[in-house]
């Protein structure tokens, strides 16, 4: 859903047209967090994270099409948003959102979903067994950015073993071993581009 999709002509005047134009970012680009305001993803995948006091990156989740994000509460400078694929987003100021009932409903709904997803990710970090943490992470990624293929669901983003290890607080060696076990059990496979495929049951 794009911000202007359901706006009636007279409602559209409540929002500045220049702020609703799509902005494109390439894979690896950092998306600036304009304040005060919110980004909405129209296409692509954005990784949300924070940098800890020790300099480590803590993954908070991902925003995909029709998701919203932005550091409009804490105003901290260590909140990051990075495009994991070629991405299109649009920005809207909090003032414009507050002046439009329609936009307010859209962003409240999308931010509520963002919080639910963040809680899901936080929950799996608390699991004791690393195997269970990794498997639950793959299921979250399947839901967030899965693409249906003949033999299962392919993750549209290629995550390295180091990426996955960082998210679930373990080592790359451990993730490599467990993924090998998952492949032997027929739970996952990889394609020619090394994207993980969660196999059909």
């Amino acid at each position: 859903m794009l911000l202007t999709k359901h706006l009636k002509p007279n409602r559209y005047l409540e929002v500045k047209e220049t702020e609703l134009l799509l902005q494109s970012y390439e894979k690896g680009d950092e998306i600036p967090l304009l304040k005060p305001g919110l980004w909405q993803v129209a296409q692509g995948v954005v990784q949300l994270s924070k940098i800890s006091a020790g300099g480590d990156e803590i993954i908070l989740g991902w925003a995909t099409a029709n998701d919203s994000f932005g550091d409009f509460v804490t105003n901290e400078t260590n909140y990051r948003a990075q495009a994991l694929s070629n991405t299109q987003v649009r920005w809207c100021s909090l003032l414009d959102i507050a002046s439009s009932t329609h936009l307010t409903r859209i962003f409240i709904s999308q931010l509520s979903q963002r919080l639910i997803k963040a809680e899901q990710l936080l929950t799996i970090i608390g699991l004791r067994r690393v195997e269970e943490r990794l498997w639950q992470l793959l299921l979250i990624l399947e839901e967030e950015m899965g693409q249906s293929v003949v033999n299962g669901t392919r993750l549209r983003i290629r995550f390295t073993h180091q990426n996955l290890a960082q998210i679930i607080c373990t080592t790359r060696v451990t993730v490599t071993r467990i993924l090998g076990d998952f492949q032997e059990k027929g739970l996952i496979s990889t394609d020619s581009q090394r994207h993980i495929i969660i196999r059909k049951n």
Side-chain angles (χ1 to χ4, degrees):
M1 180 191 304
L2 301 182
L3 284 178
T4 57
K5 184 174 181 181
H6 298 297
L7 288 178
K8 298 178 181 178
N10 62 331
R11 297 299 297 278
Y12 180 77
L13 297 177
E14 297 178 351
V15 182
K16 296 177 182 178
E17 183 176 0
T18 55
E19 291 181 337
L20 291 179
L21 295 178
L22 286 173
Q23 300 182 46
S24 298
Y25 293 89
E26 296 182 355
K27 179 181 178 180
D29 286 349
E30 189 158 340
I31 299 173
L33 297 171
L34 305 175
K35 305 181 191 307
L38 291 170
W39 286 105
Q40 185 189 55
V41 181
Q43 177 182 317
V45 179
V46 177
Q47 180 169 276
L48 307 174
S49 63
K50 279 192 174 185
I51 306 301
S52 70
D56 297 322
E57 185 176 24
I58 302 170
I59 306 302
L60 302 176
W62 303 270
T64 56
N66 301 324
D67 284 339
S68 299
F69 65 91
D71 188 21
F72 62 96
V73 177
T74 64
N75 289 327
E76 295 179 358
T77 58
N78 61 353
Y79 185 87
R80 297 184 60 205
Q82 183 183 31
L84 293 187
S85 64
N86 291 339
T87 299
Q88 289 188 320
V89 292
R90 48 165 45 93
W91 182 79
C92 194
S93 72
L94 292 184
L95 180 61
D96 287 329
I97 295 171
S99 67
S100 168
T101 304
H102 178 73
L103 289 182
T104 299
R105 286 199 303 266
I106 289 176
F107 278 109
I108 287 177
S109 175
Q110 292 177 351
L111 290 174
S112 295
Q113 290 300 311
R114 172 84 265 120
L115 289 174
I116 291 172
K117 293 176 181 179
E119 286 184 354
Q120 290 175 338
L121 187 58
L122 183 62
T123 298
I124 71 169
I125 301 303
L127 296 174
R128 176 175 297 182
R129 297 180 63 247
V130 181
E131 291 84 355
E132 190 174 359
R133 294 206 302 266
L134 182 55
W135 180 247
Q136 291 302 318
L137 173 61
L138 292 179
L139 294 182
I140 286 178
L141 293 174
E142 178 184 21
E143 182 178 352
E144 289 263 9
M145 56 194 77
Q147 176 186 38
S148 181
V149 293
V150 174
N151 54 346
T153 304
R154 174 184 184 267
L155 301 185
R156 290 187 287 126
I157 301 299
R158 184 176 71 84
F159 289 90
T160 67
H161 294 186
Q162 181 60 44
N163 294 150
L164 298 173
Q166 180 184 8
I167 296 167
I168 62 172
C169 303
T170 188
T171 66
R172 179 189 58 79
V173 173
T174 299
V175 166
T176 299
R177 175 181 58 80
I178 296 173
L179 288 178
D181 292 341
F182 287 170
Q183 282 191 282
E184 289 183 3
K185 294 176 181 177
L187 297 175
I188 66 170
S189 61
T190 56
D191 64 11
S192 59
Q193 297 177 320
R194 293 186 292 175
H195 287 242
I196 294 176
I197 297 173
I198 291 93
R199 308 279 296 192
K200 294 178 180 178
N201 293 329

